[in-house]
Amino acid sequence: MSNASTLFASVKTFFSEIGDITLFGARFFREVLLPPFEFKELINQCYNIGNRSLLLVSVTGFILGLVFTLQSRPTLEQFGVESWIPSMISISIIREIGPVIIALICAGRIGSGIGAELGSMRVTEQIDAMEVSGTNPFKYLVVTRIAAATLMLPLLVIIGDSIALFGSAIVENLKSDVSYTLYFSKVFKAITFGDIIPATIKTFFFGFAIGLIGCFKGYNCAKGTVGVGEASNAAVVYTSMLIFIIDFIAVFVTDIIFDI
């Protein structure tokens, strides 16, 4: 009976939190359309989220391209189809691997940062002070961060994918003396709008998920330093799960629309 009660309480808490996140997201869509608009803070958050994540995304993309090509080449050589490497690598990275891996990296970098930052502000009562002073903390803190994450992640993914393809081209140039011109010629020949458009669209949802969960966990952080750590950790875990769910839905819908 005790185990059943614990399970019921866990399920109840899970669905209750989903409801709270949904209401939190609905409030974002309501607040983002109402003046005043915090453009200065939005630009500042775009810098914090985009520029400060650029090095991490670039290194991740470069290593991704190197490792993926090195691991794929021996298998394709066994079948004598190593000429397919540029098209296979480009389609795989642009469609799936690049967006998901970079989104997960950004979930750790951005989601945890937002959760810890807003959690610290909640614990030190800075958010309460903003409410008392007549400032709308939700619009200033939450709306700007979610919007910035939504706008910046697609750009980070595009940059990461480009660097990953460059890393792959380096491996091909060293391993089989394929020129960079020939490599990227094959890449652009293989890529279609059916690859680029769905992959780009879903990155907006990835960014929105990262910003939403990070802000939700930080804004509703429990009191104490332990609560800040839990908010930061939960933001990463929840966002990572949500990224995989969004990716599955995106692939399913893309398969129907583009008949891949």
Side-chain angles (χ1 to χ4, degrees):
M1 185 66 180
S2 177
N3 292 333
S5 300
T6 303
L7 179 62
F8 177 77
S10 299
V11 173
K12 182 179 179 181
T13 302
F14 174 75
F15 283 104
S16 175
E17 193 153 26
I18 289 179
D20 292 339
I21 292 173
T22 303
L23 293 175
F24 195 82
R27 184 180 178 185
F28 162 78
F29 285 110
R30 183 174 68 252
E31 294 280 359
V32 75
L33 299 174
L34 297 176
F37 303 107
E38 303 287 350
F39 289 114
K40 185 176 180 179
E41 179 63 14
L42 175 62
I43 294 173
N44 182 49
Q45 291 305 317
C46 286
Y47 172 79
N48 290 334
I49 291 173
N51 185 65
R52 293 184 179 179
S53 302
L54 187 58
L55 178 60
L56 179 61
V57 168
S58 300
V59 173
T60 301
F62 185 70
I63 295 175
L64 174 63
L66 292 177
V67 173
F68 191 30
T69 306
L70 286 172
Q71 293 291 334
S72 302
R73 167 167 277 280
T75 303
L76 295 178
E77 283 180 339
Q78 292 179 1
F79 296 94
V81 291
E82 59 269 21
S83 61
W84 291 2
I85 289 179
S87 57
M88 186 200 74
I89 296 294
S90 61
I91 292 174
S92 300
I93 288 177
I94 290 174
R95 276 190 187 179
E96 191 66 25
I97 298 176
V100 172
I101 295 298
I102 292 173
L104 291 174
I105 294 296
C106 290
R109 161 67 179 82
I110 299 170
S112 63
I114 292 176
E117 183 181 12
L118 295 188
S120 298
M121 295 182 71
R122 173 63 73 183
V123 168
T124 56
E125 300 182 348
Q126 295 181 51
I127 295 178
D128 297 331
M130 293 177 68
E131 292 175 346
V132 171
S133 64
T135 305
N136 185 348
F138 191 93
K139 180 176 285 292
Y140 185 81
L141 299 175
V142 175
V143 172
T144 53
R145 282 164 173 78
I146 296 178
T150 305
L151 294 173
M152 288 296 103
L153 193 70
L155 296 178
L156 291 173
V157 169
I158 291 172
I159 294 171
D161 288 351
S162 302
I163 295 176
L165 293 177
F166 179 70
S168 176
I170 292 176
V171 173
E172 282 298 283
N173 181 260
L174 295 176
K175 285 285 185 178
S176 58
D177 200 28
V178 175
S179 68
Y180 294 105
T181 302
L182 177 60
Y183 181 90
F184 284 104
S185 175
K186 291 184 176 181
V187 166
F188 291 124
K189 186 177 180 180
I191 297 173
T192 65
F193 283 108
D195 302 318
I196 298 174
I197 294 176
T200 303
I201 291 175
K202 70 181 179 182
T203 57
F204 285 98
F205 290 95
F206 290 163
F208 176 77
I210 291 171
L212 177 67
I213 301 299
C215 288
F216 173 79
K217 287 297 181 180
Y219 198 79
N220 298 288
C221 172
K223 296 295 183 181
T225 54
V226 176
V228 176
E230 291 178 348
S232 178
N233 181 66
V236 177
V237 175
Y238 278 51
T239 303
S240 299
M241 293 175 58
L242 192 55
I243 284 172
F244 285 117
I245 294 172
I246 293 172
D247 185 58
F248 169 75
I249 295 173
V251 171
F252 184 78
V253 173
T254 301
D255 185 64
I256 296 174
I257 296 176
F258 291 92
D259 192 24
I260 297 177

